[in-house]
Amino acid sequence: MPHISVKMLEGRTEEQKKRLAAALVRTLTEELHCSDHYVTCTIEDYSAVEWQKVFQKEIAEKPAGAVYKKAEYDPKSLL
């Protein structure tokens, strides 16, 4: 039932993504004391141009209480 969604700039290898997913699932199950049987994880790649809309929708427009780690950069700097 917990779902992990990673959205990031393109450029990582498939191996990096697999290792990241495994590490995130491991951490989530340890912290929430649940079985990985119930955990899902997706990873989505975006270009710097696409990231502008993703950042706006997924980060900037979210309520303050939903963003646990705030960005320390301007997404336009990626263009």
Side-chain angles (χ1 to χ4, degrees), residues 4-74:
I4 302 165
S5 176
V6 178
K7 296 175 182 186
M8 62 186 180
L9 289 180
E10 59 196 358
R12 276 63 172 212
T13 67
E14 191 63 24
E15 185 58 35
Q16 287 174 308
K17 293 175 192 177
K18 287 178 181 178
R19 286 194 318 266
L20 174 62
L24 291 171
V25 168
R26 186 172 50 254
T27 300
L28 185 145
T29 58
E30 289 172 3
E31 291 298 320
L32 298 183
H33 306 287
C34 68
S35 168
D36 66 357
H37 175 79
Y38 299 103
V39 179
T40 55
C41 180
T42 57
I43 298 176
E44 298 174 76
D45 293 324
Y46 295 92
S47 69
V49 171
E50 294 169 322
W51 183 249
Q52 305 304 305
K53 287 182 182 177
V54 173
F55 185 93
Q56 188 64 32
K57 179 182 175 193
E58 297 292 327
I59 301 164
E61 293 177 0
K62 293 282 185 183
V67 180
Y68 284 84
K69 168 62 174 83
K70 295 183 186 225
E72 298 176 20
Y73 71 99
D74 181 348

